[in-house]
Amino acid sequence: MQEFKGVLFDMDGVIFDSEVCVIDCWKEVAKRYGIPFIEKTAMECIGTTKSKSREIMKKEYGEDFPYDEYAQEASQIYHEKYDGGRLPMKNGVKKLLASLEERGIRIALATSTRYETAVNQLRDAGILDYFDEVVTGDFVEKSKPAPDIFLKACELIELDVKDVYVIEDSYNGVRAAHAGNMRVIMVPDLLPPDDEMESKAEVILENLEEVRQYLLYV
C-alpha cells in the first residue's frame, strides 16, 4: 500500500449512526401527513445537501410538496432526540481517529451537513479536536456526487488528492471522491455496495476497525 498523509471523513453513516435516525424522523413526519414511500425517497437523499434533497422530494411528490416545512419538522424531531451527545456513534471511531493522530495524519471532515450542526455533533461526541478542518456543504456550490467538497478539504489541509484517503458510506460520496481522483474506502451503512461501488472504491470494508487495520497495519 502506498503512503498517505490525510484522511477525509464523511460524517453521517460513517462517524455517526445517524442516517437511520434521520429516516426515522422523516417516517414520523410522513405518518402525520400521509406521505407515501418516504423511506425509499429519504434513502435517495442520503449523502446530499438540503437543496438536493428538496429537488429529489419535489420530483417524487410534486412541485407543491412543502419540503421546507416538513424538513424543519423532521429536523426538530431529530434535535429533540439526539442533541447533547445522544447521537449514536459508530464503533471504532475514537480508536481510528486517535491512531491517525498518533501517526501524524491530517484529518478533515467533509460532510453535506450544515457547519454549525456538524461542529456541535462532533463537540458533543468529544471528537472535534481530532479534526484539523471541518468542511461542510455550505462551503461549496456543488454537492456530492461532484468532488468539490473533498477538493476543498484537501486545499484546507494543504494536501494533494493523491495523498488522501476518503472514508464514505454513500453512493454519492464514493462517486464524489472517485471523481476527485482520491482513494476511496467504502464502509457501507444503509446502502449495500453494487458493481459501480466495487469499481470506484479501492476497498470495501465492514467497519471502522477494519479501516484502522487497513490504513495503519497493512
Side-chain angles (χ1 to χ4, degrees), residues 137-153:
D138 36 3
F139 280 50
V140 294
E141 287 188 15
K142 295 180 181 177
S143 63
K144 304 171 187 175
D148 299 34
I149 194 167
F150 292 130
L151 297 174
K152 184 67 175 178

Side-chain angles (χ1 to χ4, degrees), residues 14-194:
V14 172
I15 292 175
F16 295 111
D17 199 9
S18 48
E19 289 178 344
V20 66
C21 301
V22 169
I23 290 174
D24 283 346
C25 293
W26 269 104
K27 284 164 76 174
E28 282 194 38
V29 173
K31 188 175 180 180
R32 291 176 188 174
Y33 300 105
I35 307 168
F37 315 117
I38 194 64
E39 187 166 358
K40 172 183 174 293
T41 312
M43 289 275 283
E44 292 177 26
C45 298
I46 289 173
T48 67
T49 59
K50 186 175 181 179
S51 60
K52 184 64 176 177
S53 295
R54 183 188 295 110
E55 180 185 318
I56 290 168
M57 290 212 176
K58 282 185 175 289
K59 182 178 179 182
E60 178 68 28
Y61 300 115
E63 281 302 316
D64 59 346
F65 182 75
Y67 170 80
D68 291 319
E69 177 186 327
Y70 291 159
Q72 179 62 35
E73 201 161 329
S75 177
Q76 185 176 345
I77 296 168
Y78 183 88
H79 289 299
E80 286 171 357
K81 284 187 173 184
Y82 302 114
D83 279 359
R86 289 174 291 166
L87 188 61
M89 195 157 49
K90 291 286 191 179
N91 292 332
V93 172
K94 287 188 177 180
K95 193 172 182 181
L96 172 57
L97 290 170
S99 296
L100 291 170
E101 183 181 63
E102 191 177 310
R103 277 270 301 269
I105 302 299
R106 300 280 285 168
I107 303 170
L109 190 78
T111 176
S112 300
T113 300
R114 290 188 312 113
Y115 182 81
E116 183 182 0
T117 299
V119 167
N120 286 342
Q121 289 178 350
L122 294 176
R123 184 185 293 116
D124 288 346
I127 57 175
L128 178 60
D129 290 345
Y130 285 110
F131 291 87
D132 298 297
E133 295 288 347
V134 173
V135 185
T136 60
D138 36 3
F139 280 50
V140 294
E141 287 188 15
K142 295 180 181 177
S143 63
K144 304 171 187 175
D148 299 34
I149 194 167
F150 292 130
L151 297 174
K152 184 67 175 178
C154 287
E155 176 189 326
L156 291 175
I157 61 173
E158 301 179 328
L159 291 178
D160 190 279
V161 295
K162 65 179 174 55
D163 294 323
V164 166
Y165 269 102
V166 174
I167 303 175
E168 265 286 0
D169 69 297
S170 73
Y171 291 2
N172 279 336
V174 171
R175 289 167 183 144
H178 183 265
N181 296 313
M182 298 165 206
R183 299 155 72 187
V184 196
I185 297 174
M186 184 181 190
V187 184
D189 185 34
L190 297 183
L191 299 171
D194 59 10

